[in-house]
Amino acid sequence: MGRSATSRWSRSSLAPVAVPPASLFRRTAGFAFRTSRNTFAAVGVAASAGTFLYLSRDRDIPMLMDGVDADGSDKNEGVTLVLPLHTLQVVEHNFLSPLSRAAAFVNTGVSRKIELRVLVEVLERAAKDPAVKSLRAEFGGKNPGLGPAQIEELRNAVTSFNESRGSHSDPVPSAPSRPTKSSSCTAPTFQDQGLYWLASAFEEVIGTGDRLGYVHLVGLSSVQLFAREMLEKVGIVPEVFAREKYKKAFASFSDQAMTPEHLENVVSVLGSLHDTMASSVLAGRGGRITMDWHGVLGAGPLEFRKAVSAGLVDRVALKNEKKDKEVTLDNYLKVIKIRERAKHISRMKEKFWEAQKMCSSPGEAIRFILSDDRPSIGIVHVSGTIVDNYGGNSTEENYDVITALRAAGKNKKIGAVVLRVDSPGGSPEASEAIWNTIIEVRDLKPVICSMGNSAASGGYYIAAPCSKIFASRSTLTGSIGVVGAQPNLSGLLESLGVNIEHIATGPDAGIDSPFLPLTERKRGSIERRLDQVYERFLTVVAEGRGMDPVDVRARAGGRVWTGEQAVLEGLVDNVGGLACAIECARGEFEGGAEAPVRVMDGRSGGSLVKFFVNSGNGSIPDALWEVARVIAKSTGISISRNRDINGATFDSGGISRINIHDDWVSQWLDEWMG
């Protein structure tokens, strides 16, 4: 009524009146201020809550570094370190993207996977820690994902712990001589021979399943099926090409029984593995076994009461016996981080005093204090089948071996590289690409190879150029050869009434088709290709190992060796695990005595959403699904959840549709040969 003259709308047409620029600016600024204030408030509340939750998680951590006096003596009787191996999966490389780590934190607070290297390092640190007086491992009856070579590495770490006297190597001065530490393990049953093999390294083996628990120790076996006759009966002809007679990866399809060479190799490998396990168990039990070894195997699975009488188990308890002072593995890992942080702060203090004498300006002093010129050991993992993806691994999410190797070679703070190989082989082309990259890196710095459960065929191809090779006694390696297979389905299709017409513009067109029989021309082409790859393989080994080509050929032919055998044959330098390879690498360059270990980042790229889906603990947290959906929507990708397979379906503009679901990779060797 009285505001008609200054109204924003005219009386006649109600058309908007132009708002002065100054007023528009004030309104826009006010809106932006209110929006940013609310946003910052929400972020602040979320950050405060997250910080409180994160810090509260550590409130019960025993401060072990405070359990030792300045002179290194104990203020208390020490604690027992508990390894919950019944809830963990031990893996070679726990590749987790930042978002996958966040997913694991939201779900359980910790990742339920742990790297073998980290677990061994924990045992090594605990062995030197005066505050840790004993070790207890809790098994669940089943193997926590360990293969034979990994079991050996853990056994060696447990044995070292048993023999240690706790001389402290952390910020606290070394402790005086102490009694030898003790170790024990518990399990409701030992239904896996590998599990008991590991358990025998502990000083005391305790069974917690009084009525149903037993020890399954019966020896090793290899059961193989041969289906050539069955395939031929239905009209399938398996065409297998191998170099040479010991290369039996596809023997189940090409043979009807073991050839003499196949049988010889299987007997040799199983015998070596059996001797390794037997000698380890007998040494670990220290003469407490009352039966001879063959008597133990002949007795079959023994229930706990009989296992106690036989000396395989020390006693039976109805439940886990917890001590008053215990520290969990998760908390001890945090203690290690705190100690490392204390070391870092101590180094910065020393550099601060040095900077006052050396630096001429505050900026130069700050750069000097914050710089870390210590050299490191770079670890590059090759796990699983080697595939044609720039030398990548099929078992590691978005992990590229060549990218990791080149990063280690270019990084001036990496003094040496340890190539950790746990692979049965794979693509010759990808193996050659990795070999070329190793040669490039080797010209810049030492490259040491550490073999895991297997480093055979292509796995040995990429190990050969390394300066030194370490393998456990039970590692499966060698298999220097090449094999290819192509089924001929033409007979099967003809019997079913299927007519095949073939039109080609070249004599070798269709050579890879399983629907056409192999002609002599095609067979000759495949044979020439295999000869080319095999001769190249022999050359790589001869040059890398400094061996005569004749000697290499005598050890090749596709024959599989255990690590212990490979040392005697000159294919491996030393028996030892990853820890031995790292110590060797530290001695290869100046200032490497206390060089820290760094796992090289081999990520070759990938979408943000993919990291959410491939979460490291095998499940996709509910809390992250909505976040992932919103982020994906902004990029034009829609996500819908399929709870049956705990996976996701991606649809990007209707161009492609990919179904993804969780997948666990078994660490066991399904077959001894392959």
Side-chain angles (χ1 to χ4, degrees), residues 632-633 635-639 649-658:
K633 186 176 181 180
T635 62
I637 301 176
S638 63
I639 301 180
T649 298
F650 291 81
D651 192 358
S652 179
I655 299 175
S656 61
R657 194 172 184 86
I658 307 170

Side-chain angles (χ1 to χ4, degrees), residues 15 52 399 418 446 473 514 639 643 645 648 672:
F52 172 77
Y399 187 83
V418 173
R473 295 170 63 190
I639 301 180
R643 293 182 179 273
I645 60 172
W672 292 113

Side-chain angles (χ1 to χ4, degrees), residues 50-244:
T51 302
F52 172 77
L53 292 174
Y54 179 78
L55 294 177
S56 65
R57 291 167 56 84
D58 296 344
R59 65 184 183 275
D60 296 328
I61 298 179
M63 292 295 132
L64 299 187
M65 66 286 293
D66 295 333
V68 181
D69 285 325
D71 61 355
S73 59
D74 286 342
K75 292 178 181 178
N76 50 52
E77 297 179 356
V79 298
T80 298
L81 174 60
V82 181
L83 303 181
L85 294 180
H86 61 298
T87 64
L88 297 176
Q89 183 189 19
V90 183
V91 297
E92 281 288 334
H93 184 199
N94 189 14
F95 177 81
L96 286 177
S97 65
L99 292 176
S100 296
R101 293 184 187 277
F105 182 88
V106 170
N107 274 354
T108 60
V110 294
S111 170
R112 298 327 298 169
K113 290 183 180 180
I114 185 170
E115 292 185 12
L116 176 68
R117 174 187 60 83
V118 174
L119 192 55
V120 170
E121 183 181 349
V122 165
L123 293 176
E124 290 176 346
R125 288 177 178 266
K128 299 175 182 178
D129 193 339
V132 179
K133 68 171 183 178
S134 61
L135 171 70
R136 188 179 80 246
E138 297 176 351
F139 297 119
K142 294 184 178 180
N143 191 305
L146 295 168
Q150 296 169 322
I151 289 174
E152 279 195 81
E153 295 194 44
L154 270 182
R155 278 185 54 87
N156 293 337
V158 172
T159 301
S160 298
F161 180 90
N162 295 337
E163 298 171 351
S164 66
R165 294 183 178 273
S167 58
H168 210 298
S169 62
D170 282 322
V172 183
S174 298
S177 179
R178 297 169 44 83
T180 304
K181 299 189 177 189
S182 62
S183 63
S184 63
C185 68
T186 62
T189 185
F190 292 102
Q191 66 184 45
D192 184 281
Q193 292 187 110
L195 186 63
Y196 183 79
W197 184 9
L198 173 59
S200 64
F202 292 83
E203 291 183 335
E204 188 177 25
V205 179
I206 305 172
T208 56
D210 184 26
R211 294 175 177 83
L212 299 179
Y214 64 96
V215 176
H216 183 79
L217 200 59
V218 295
L220 305 179
S221 69
S222 176
V223 179
Q224 301 187 30
L225 304 179
F226 298 91
R228 183 179 181 88
E229 286 187 7
M230 182 196 72
L231 295 175
E232 290 178 346
K233 286 180 179 180
V234 296
I236 299 176
V237 179
E239 300 282 1
V240 176
F241 307 87
R243 300 291 183 276
E244 291 175 338

Side-chain angles (χ1 to χ4, degrees), residues 210 213 215 290-291 299-313 316:
D210 184 26
V215 176
T290 59
M291 308 167 62
L302 294 173
E303 61 180 9
F304 274 161
R305 297 295 180 183
K306 294 181 179 179
V308 171
S309 301
L312 298 175
V313 175
V316 178

Side-chain angles (χ1 to χ4, degrees), residues 548-563:
D548 188 282
V550 176
D551 294 333
V552 174
R553 191 177 292 273
R555 292 158 176 77
R559 180 160 186 162
V560 177
W561 307 91
T562 63

